[in-house]
Amino acid sequence: MTARYCSLAQVPGPAVAPGLAAERLGAFLGGRRMWVNGTVLHYCFFDGDDDGSVIAVPGSGRTRWVSWVGGEEQRDVVRDAFREWRELGIGLEFREVADRSEAELRIGFQQGGGSWSAIGRDALPAGRGERTMNFGWDLTAPGERATALHEIGHVLGMRHEHQSPYAGIHWDDEAVYADLAGPPNHWSRERTDANVLRKLDAAEVNGSVWDPQSVMQFPFDPGLILEPEQFRGGVRPPGGLSPLDKEFVLRWYPPLPPGEPPALVPFRSVPLSLGPGEQADFTVEPPETRAYTVGTFGEGDCVVVVFEERDGEPRFLAGHDDAGTPDNATLRMRLVKGRRYVVRVRLYSGWGSGETAVMCW
């Protein structure tokens, strides 16, 4: 029987400068959806009587109201999946909040609406009344905890493993279309292309080898894969986090180093000695309340994010991503004397001399 599959929405590709060098473009594609390490991601569940949407009833010309609210047992599966990812020791934290205006991740349970998630930072532009993740079937059913782990993998920036160009999968395309057009998925050819058949760019995938054991790998019935020969009988990932899943997230989100980050003092630049994907963290304690600028200099593509510490927890204040442009990442914001801020700079790639620096002024 065909499994229920995660159905990601089509998102337009990024705008990049014409003629961007392949190395810079690859670094940008690989990192643009990733969070800066040390981010605390806040999530909430829709729980109000008005939280839902009107959907069409197929073949009837009528509509009906469908709630986005899930029961406590469903929520507990998601909480437990967040906990399993966090307990790997990654440098990200997850916090459940009741106020959706405080949440980067907003989770619904529209039954029949498919299971999906925004990928990494793609969640940020969504409005406070919009879902960034949905679960469309019963997560307490046997084996469905893997769905929650899978969607949180997307939150961390991971993509569908079977779409890796390293997999070398030769599909029986028409068999795949027919299989997914039927129950329980009822997918169009376009949705099947987007979530199964289309190969990702090598820079976008989770690793340099195919991992059929990954929680990001769909299970497939016999007869859909023609090559590699050993998978003609189907693919059956175990449904948990594989060693390569863990390696990927720990590479992008390693445990934060002990101790306090160094201070970033106004008007004093600090050289950055970063390799691709590496990050530098700083604290800022402004000597006076006023508008400040935080920015990078030099020949490198970076993302810069400023957090304000509230009750000992960093809360997102502002961010700028200069990747794929000739400009440097620069933020201007009002900082308050007596408060403490954290600046995190992550390098996509260096170019030219590769010398970069950060300063607050």
Side-chain angles (χ1 to χ4, degrees):
M1 178 179 178
T2 302
R4 293 182 175 93
Y5 293 145
C6 165
S7 174
L8 298 182
Q10 295 266 31
V11 177
V16 296
L20 193 68
E23 180 183 351
R24 291 178 63 192
L25 178 59
F28 176 44
L29 291 176
R32 68 188 177 94
R33 288 178 161 124
M34 310 304 286
W35 306 96
V36 293
N37 203 26
T39 299
V40 178
L41 291 172
H42 304 86
Y43 67 91
C44 72
F45 297 106
F46 284 94
D47 60 2
D49 293 338
D50 297 330
D51 292 332
S53 57
V54 176
I55 66 170
V57 178
S60 70
R62 296 182 291 107
T63 61
R64 65 185 179 93
W65 172 261
V66 178
S67 173
W68 294 348
V69 179
E72 199 64 22
E73 288 186 349
Q74 303 293 321
R75 299 183 189 197
D76 282 344
V77 175
V78 179
R79 292 179 181 119
D80 185 61
F82 273 118
R83 183 164 50 250
E84 181 168 345
W85 279 109
R86 185 186 68 242
E87 288 179 352
L88 295 177
I90 61 176
L92 299 183
E93 285 286 343
F94 305 108
R95 298 270 194 277
E96 183 178 345
V97 295
D99 185 348
R100 72 183 62 164
S101 69
E102 293 287 305
E104 293 85 10
L105 313 174
R106 291 173 295 281
I107 303 169
F109 295 85
Q110 180 186 327
Q111 296 299 296
S115 291
W116 49 265
S117 173
I119 300 175
R121 288 193 285 149
D122 284 351
L124 292 177
R128 61 177 292 182
E130 298 178 54
R131 290 165 293 170
T132 67
M133 183 187 295
N134 188 74
F135 294 101
W137 51 80
D138 182 9
L139 296 181
T140 67
E144 292 301 344
R145 183 174 176 276
T147 300
L149 290 170
H150 178 102
E151 301 307 341
I152 296 170
H154 286 315
V155 168
L156 298 174
M158 301 178 75
R159 306 296 298 271
H160 287 153
E161 187 67 21
H162 50 274
Q163 293 184 267
S164 169
Y166 301 114
I169 296 177
H170 180 198
W171 300 97
D172 183 333
D173 290 4
E174 292 304 322
V176 175
Y177 287 134
D179 188 63
L180 295 182
N185 295 290
H186 302 289
W187 280 5
S188 67
R189 292 172 75 95
E190 292 75 19
R191 190 169 293 273
T192 298
D193 284 333
N195 285 279
V196 178
L197 298 179
R198 182 177 71 85
K199 294 288 188 291
L200 298 171
D201 188 283
E204 298 178 280
V205 298
N206 307 336
S208 59
V209 297
W210 179 36
D211 178 16
Q213 304 300 306
S214 172
V215 78
M216 307 309 293
Q217 168 69 46
F218 286 0
F220 290 108
D221 289 337
L224 303 182
I225 294 175
L226 301 177
E227 300 291 342
E229 185 175 354
Q230 67 265 37
F231 293 104
R232 290 181 184 179
V235 180
R236 292 293 169 190
L241 305 184
S242 74
L244 290 180
D245 290 335
K246 299 173 185 179
E247 179 183 309
F248 174 83
V249 294
L250 285 167
R251 183 172 70 250
W252 273 100
Y253 309 113
L256 296 178
E260 294 293 329
L264 187 62
V265 178
F267 300 104
R268 189 179 303 168
S269 67
V270 178
L272 298 173
S273 299
L274 299 175
E278 293 181 345
Q279 180 172 313
D281 300 328
F282 304 90
T283 58
V284 176
E285 298 187 28
E288 58 180 320
T289 299
R290 62 172 176 85
Y292 289 81
T293 301
V294 177
T296 57
F297 301 89
E299 296 176 313
D301 292 319
C302 298
V303 57
V304 177
V305 183
V306 178
F307 299 86
E308 180 181 339
E309 286 196 353
R310 304 180 201 166
D311 300 321
E313 180 179 294
R315 303 302 296 262
F316 176 85
L317 185 62
H320 185 208
D321 188 334
D322 74 352
T325 73
D327 303 315
N328 289 116
T330 304
L331 298 165
R332 187 162 178 82
M333 73 215 80
R334 184 173 182 270
L335 304 183
V336 178
K337 180 180 179 179
R339 297 182 187 177
R340 178 178 153 104
Y341 302 85
V342 178
V343 176
R344 304 191 190 278
V345 183
R346 191 156 204 168
L347 182 77
Y348 292 122
S349 68
W351 44 277
S353 69
E355 294 183 1
T356 56
V358 62
M359 189 168 76
C360 171
W361 69 95

